């Protein structure tokens, strides 16, 4: 039995994973409140364009575009500091230079405030452990502790869960599930480096291309010839 006014705050970057998570939320009967963050990332304009296109396809009525430029002041990540090169040599062990310090913790904190305002029941975030590339804020353990902190620091009647439906999926499984749900993957953007044609060699592009290849499907976005 589904409750009336089931609401989910979906953290939607415009990437393939967060887009699929949002479609899964809609498929479960949630009214989606979409949240997007402009944090000074290299592909900020392209990701915002993707977010708006996906919200249109999802028929989202309530959305937030949150500017948090302090990430560029903090730096320490190739995504927010242009003096640090995006790595293109493939995924290596350890925490990569594309990790943005505590990004998902900050994203979830802001999303919690929005959820409390709207009396939402849950948050959806498209974290994936397989492609976290060593990101410490993409693990089940981190999400569980964040959920506990969120409920400790909100009103007593606020009872929030964090849903991570993709956390144990491979990129191949994500591509297949997205196609099954008619997710418009052509509007999504994964590249860390470029806003016109995807570079095809950054960690995120490599994982995306591998997923499509293993799924036996063609990716409809444009890539640079490599």
């Amino acid at each position: 039995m589904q409750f009336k006014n089931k609401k989910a705050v979906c953290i939607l970057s415009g990437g393939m994973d967060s887009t699929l998570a949002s479609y899964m939320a809609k498929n479960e009967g949630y009214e989606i409140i979409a949240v997007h963050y402009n944090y000074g990332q290299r592909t900020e304009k392209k990701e915002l364009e993707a977010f708006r296109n996906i919200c249109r396809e999802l028929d989202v009525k309530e959305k937030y575009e949150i500017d948090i430029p302090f990430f560029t002041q903090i730096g320490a990540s190739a995504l927010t500091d242009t003096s640090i090169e995006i790595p293109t040599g493939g995924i290596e062990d350890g925490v990569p230079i594309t990790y943005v310090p505590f990004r998902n913790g900050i994203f979830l904190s802001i999303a919690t405030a929005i959820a409390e305002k709207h009396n939402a029941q849950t948050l959806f975030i498209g974290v994936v452990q397989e492609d976290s590339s060593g990101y410490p804020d993409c693990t089940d353990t981190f999400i569980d502790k964040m959920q506990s902190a969120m409920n400790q620091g909100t009103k007593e009647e606020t009872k929030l869960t964090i849903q991570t439906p993709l956390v144990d999926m491979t990129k191949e499984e994500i591509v297949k599930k997205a196609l099954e749900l008619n997710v418009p993957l052509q509007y999504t953007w994964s590249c860390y480096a470029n806003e016109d044609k995807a570079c095809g060699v950054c960690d995120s592009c490599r994982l995306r291309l591998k997923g499509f290849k293993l799924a036996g499907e063609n990716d409809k976005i444009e890539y640079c010839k490599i």
Side-chain angles (χ1 to χ4, degrees):
M1 179 179 175
Q2 293 185 344
F3 294 101
K4 290 183 178 180
N5 301 317
K6 248 175 79 166
K7 296 179 181 179
V9 173
C10 296
I11 298 174
L12 182 51
S13 70
M16 188 163 64
D17 301 339
S18 64
T19 301
L20 174 57
S22 299
Y23 268 76
M24 292 171 81
K26 183 177 182 179
N27 205 46
E28 289 180 24
Y30 286 100
E31 175 189 333
I32 293 174
I33 301 159
V35 184
H36 179 79
Y37 301 105
N38 301 309
Y39 59 97
Q41 66 271 42
R42 290 173 187 256
T43 56
E44 182 177 279
K45 290 181 181 177
K46 187 66 176 181
E47 290 181 27
L48 180 58
E49 175 189 305
F51 168 75
R52 289 172 176 172
N53 285 334
I54 293 156
C55 283
R56 184 191 66 240
E57 294 294 314
L58 277 168
D59 194 27
V60 171
K61 299 293 191 292
E62 190 83 54
K63 64 179 186 288
Y64 289 81
E65 297 172 3
I66 306 288
D67 295 324
I68 40 177
F70 63 78
F71 274 114
T72 58
Q73 185 177 357
I74 295 169
S77 169
L79 299 193
T80 56
D81 185 342
T82 55
S83 71
I84 303 173
E85 291 188 7
I86 296 283
T88 58
I91 296 171
E92 299 177 351
D93 292 336
V95 179
I97 196 61
T98 52
Y99 165 67
V100 180
F102 204 60
R103 180 181 62 180
N104 283 342
I106 293 166
F107 285 3
L108 285 165
S109 297
I110 295 170
T112 298
I114 293 169
E116 189 164 37
K117 170 191 172 181
H118 289 279
N119 296 314
Q121 293 81 35
T122 192
L123 280 65
F124 275 74
I125 185 169
V127 295
V128 181
Q129 288 196 126
E130 181 205 49
D131 74 1
S132 64
S133 308
Y135 292 176
D137 58 353
C138 287
T139 64
D140 273 333
T141 301
F142 170 74
I143 295 296
D144 287 346
K145 290 184 182 296
M146 276 299 296
Q147 179 176 292
S148 177
M150 283 159 38
N151 285 299
Q152 186 67 36
T154 50
K155 293 180 295 186
E156 187 175 350
E157 60 267 30
T158 300
K159 306 293 183 185
L160 288 168
T161 60
I162 304 175
Q163 298 202 42
T164 58
L166 281 61
V167 70
D168 294 319
M169 293 174 70
T170 65
K171 268 292 192 286
E172 176 187 359
E173 291 169 335
I174 288 167
V175 171
K176 288 179 176 178
K177 185 66 175 179
L179 293 172
E180 176 190 325
L181 296 182
N182 295 314
V183 175
L185 294 177
Q186 70 273 19
Y187 291 135
T188 63
W189 196 253
S190 304
C191 184
Y192 286 154
N194 298 342
E195 293 189 302
D196 48 1
K197 293 182 180 180
C199 72
V201 291
C202 69
D203 290 353
S204 189
C205 279
R206 287 176 185 271
L207 287 162
R208 179 176 174 131
L209 287 167
K210 178 184 176 183
F212 273 92
K213 183 178 180 181
L214 291 174
E217 301 289 344
N218 292 321
D219 192 354
K220 294 180 181 179
I221 69 166
E222 286 190 85
Y223 287 87
C224 297
K225 291 184 179 180
I226 55 174

